[in-house]
Amino acid sequence: MSTSLRVDAHQHFWCLADRQGQWPPAELAAIHRDFLPADLEPLRQHAGIDGTVLVQSLPSENDTRWLLDLADQHRFVWGVVGWVDLKAPDAPERIAALATRSKLKGLRPMLQDLRDDGWIADAAVDAGARAMAQHGLVFDALVLTRHLEALHGFAARHRELRIVIDHGAKPPIATGELEPWRSRMAALAALPHVSCKVSGLLTEAGPRRSAQALRPYVQALWDLFGPRRLLWGSDWPVLRLAGDYQAWLEMSQALFATIDPAMSDADRADLFGANAMRLYGLRAAL
């Protein structure tokens, strides 16, 4: 039996009291409450997940510091992806200050929520991006298909910056369309410093929440990024809108077993843990 460490490369915690006027709305009853480490702990243990990457869900440095405090208090949180306004004149200084926290591993502007689809193409982000690379941080890209061309331009300008696309860029699984999502993802995958998370796909599937519906998209990600640049993540607790933790892990395992029946143990270990360890520079706290 493999002893490889298994990592959930994308999960969240939040307190509703800190999110007045922010997502999630009350009508999303499955996720409209506090979610804290004690809620994830039994799910993580049952699934055999050794460590996680905790990702921001508010555009707030205070929220980032709260997540870092949680990470310091809970050994299974091996890394945090936080937030800084990359267009702020003092973004490099803000990044340097947060980077003194050892579990800060990346930053994520919430591009999908911004009015300007080309926000990331603005040269005003470049000083912050260079500071991220200087401090060894990963850029998490929360994007949709319409952002991918601008993201490609950003990635081409910052080849020294490790970039990971969250949730496979949220492909249009609910409608069954592959283009232009696949072509734009192919252009990004051609850049060796860009990786991708296999996460959040069930919530993009609408009523088509089956392995059969997801397979063309997971197949595309496997073909484009290969075994060394894909990272499995749960996107919990957002996942609760479409499924549960153990079922998503098992569906993911089954999908990849079907896509590549000859997948090696090494490839499987990379996909479900080792790639996240390398990309984010995680250290196990067992």
Side-chain angles (χ1 to χ4, degrees), residues 89-112:
D90 61 345
E93 291 77 19
R94 291 176 177 271
I95 291 166
L98 284 172
T100 62
R101 304 287 294 269
S102 64
K103 285 192 174 180
L104 185 78
K105 302 300 182 181
L107 296 172
R108 182 172 86 151
M110 303 183 74
L111 300 179
Q112 72 168 20

Side-chain angles (χ1 to χ4, degrees), residues 13 37-38 41 69-78 103 285:
F13 295 132
E41 181 68 3
D69 289 344
L70 283 181
D72 287 341
Q73 296 160 18
H74 297 276
R75 293 171 64 84
F76 72 83
V77 180
W78 293 352
K103 285 192 174 180

Side-chain angles (χ1 to χ4, degrees), residues 74-89:
H74 297 276
R75 293 171 64 84
F76 72 83
V77 180
W78 293 352
V80 170
V81 175
W83 180 91
V84 165
D85 179 359
L86 291 180
K87 290 189 180 180

